[in-house]
Amino acid sequence: MTSVSQKNLLKLAEENKHKGDLAAAIQNLEEALRGEHSLDVILKLCDLYCANKQEDQAYALIKEEPDLFSDKQVYRMYCKVLKENNLLIEALQLKEITGLELPFKVQPVSEEKQKQIMQSFKAKKQVNQMDYESLHKLNLINFTTFAQSILLEPVSDFAVRLSLCEDLIRLKLKDKFKVWVIDDLTGFVPADTLLLEKDPKYREIISAIGAKFSHNPSQLPLMIGETNLVLGSLYPKLNNYVDEPDSFASDLVAYLQQKDGRTHQKLFERIYQKLPN
């Protein structure tokens, strides 16, 4: 729903746009969103952001929508924003999800800019979300080649390694990729691999941790956070390290609380040696 005040601000924004004052139009729509959610306002604001060369803000705004697919207007705007941001990799993933051609053709940035993105990424000591998202502006060959080079680095950032694996999986690539999991160099085929949150063993372990702390909910967020770090460190080869999810969950809790990981003690020690302090 769009409130009366939001409708007034929408009208003002339309007048601003008519006069060519995009900054004022954007300001009015941003003000309209401070009160409450309005899809009408969001769609118009995304359009204005794109028109005013603020496509990154359009991306951040549309991605906040809980469902990017069921509403045709939201889906179309999402596709347009991917085009304006040159987010080819995300567009290819979207194509795999929907099985449809996108309404807009998404192109990567120029080869020169792609080289700059890869060089800049390699030089970063700490990678933030925006740094990582810039990799989605690469073409498919550069993205997969670059992803493989990062996955072959034994000291690659934990979160980056996990994100790259899941991006390759969303692309449903059938080539085999090599990746370091703790101290083991292994391989996986993205098309044959589940995302971490969809892996049955991941779900069973998280469920077991939840059950163990059902009577002590204050500790649950911390335990879930630590569990995600451990399981993320073993991804995408959970099956190589987890035989019995309940036993694994029980040993992990014992390790976190008493430093006694029982049959998994050596594995947990290896994992935490690799994790950032």
Side-chain angles (χ1 to χ4, degrees), residues 1-12 28 31-32 35-38 40-41:
M1 288 290 290
T2 306
S3 68
V4 174
S5 61
Q6 286 175 324
K7 286 178 181 177
N8 289 335
L9 287 165
L10 273 167
K11 187 178 178 182
L12 283 172
N28 277 316
E31 179 62 33
E36 54 190 300
H37 181 274
S38 167
D40 199 19
V41 174

Side-chain angles (χ1 to χ4, degrees), residues 25-175:
I26 287 169
Q27 190 174 0
N28 277 316
L29 293 184
E30 288 175 339
E31 179 62 33
L33 278 185
R34 288 193 186 100
E36 54 190 300
H37 181 274
S38 167
L39 184 55
D40 199 19
V41 174
I42 287 167
L43 294 174
K44 285 184 168 57
L45 184 52
C46 283
D47 252 337
L48 285 175
Y49 277 147
C50 290
N52 204 41
K53 304 299 181 185
Q54 294 173 263
E55 57 276 355
D56 55 336
Q57 288 179 253
Y59 178 77
L61 183 60
I62 200 68
K63 288 286 277 191
E64 287 177 1
E65 286 302 293
D67 190 346
L68 295 168
F69 305 104
S70 61
D71 187 296
K72 288 183 180 179
Q73 286 182 296
V74 174
Y75 174 72
R76 186 173 177 82
M77 180 56 70
Y78 175 37
C79 293
K80 178 181 177 179
V81 168
L82 292 180
K83 170 183 174 288
E84 294 296 330
N85 282 277
N86 300 105
L87 294 170
L88 174 65
I89 299 303
E90 190 166 339
L92 293 174
Q93 292 171 347
L94 182 57
K95 186 178 174 183
E96 288 294 337
I97 291 169
T98 63
L100 302 169
E101 291 294 330
L102 273 58
F104 299 95
K105 186 172 178 60
V106 182
Q107 298 281 8
V109 293
S110 68
E111 282 287 345
E112 186 59 37
K113 285 184 179 177
Q114 290 184 56
K115 287 178 185 175
Q116 291 171 6
I117 287 170
M118 291 184 282
Q119 289 169 354
S120 174
F121 192 93
K122 281 273 193 180
K124 295 274 184 183
K125 289 185 178 179
Q126 284 191 314
V127 175
N128 60 35
Q129 186 65 25
M130 192 174 293
D131 295 329
Y132 186 82
E133 286 171 0
S134 70
L135 296 181
H136 286 182
K137 297 175 185 282
L138 304 178
N139 64 37
L140 184 59
I141 292 174
N142 281 341
F143 179 79
T144 54
T145 304
F146 188 71
Q148 180 61 98
S149 72
I150 298 293
L151 294 177
L152 279 172
E153 294 178 3
V155 293
S156 65
D157 181 273
F158 157 81
V160 169
R161 183 178 59 79
L162 178 58
S163 295
L164 284 172
C165 286
E166 294 208 314
D167 267 338
L168 294 171
I169 289 164
R170 290 188 186 96
L171 288 166
K172 297 184 180 178
L173 300 176
K174 296 179 181 178
D175 295 328

Side-chain angles (χ1 to χ4, degrees), residues 168-277:
L168 294 171
I169 289 164
R170 290 188 186 96
L171 288 166
K172 297 184 180 178
L173 300 176
K174 296 179 181 178
D175 295 328
K176 190 170 186 177
F177 286 79
K178 292 182 179 179
V179 59
W180 283 96
V181 177
I182 326 177
D183 299 309
D184 305 321
L185 183 60
T186 184
F188 77 107
V189 177
D192 299 333
T193 308
L194 294 170
L195 296 172
L196 178 59
E197 64 179 21
K198 294 186 181 297
D199 189 294
K201 287 191 174 177
Y202 170 84
R203 291 188 171 203
E204 288 179 49
I205 292 167
I206 291 293
S207 178
I209 296 290
K212 287 179 184 297
F213 288 89
S214 60
H215 300 298
N216 192 3
S218 63
Q219 283 198 6
L220 184 58
L222 176 61
M223 288 296 174
I224 292 293
E226 291 294 323
T227 303
N228 277 322
L229 283 175
V230 169
L231 298 182
S233 297
L234 300 176
Y235 186 74
K237 307 300 284 189
L238 280 185
N239 282 335
N240 290 14
Y241 302 92
V242 179
D243 292 324
E244 173 48 53
D246 282 336
S247 171
F248 186 93
S250 180
D251 286 359
L252 179 55
V253 170
Y255 179 79
L256 293 173
Q257 292 183 327
Q258 298 137 21
K259 291 298 176 189
D260 179 13
R262 301 188 289 237
T263 59
H264 292 93
Q265 177 72 18
K266 288 184 180 178
L267 175 62
F268 296 148
E269 287 176 351
R270 287 173 66 196
I271 290 170
Y272 275 90
Q273 282 171 3
K274 293 289 182 182
L275 287 172
N277 296 322

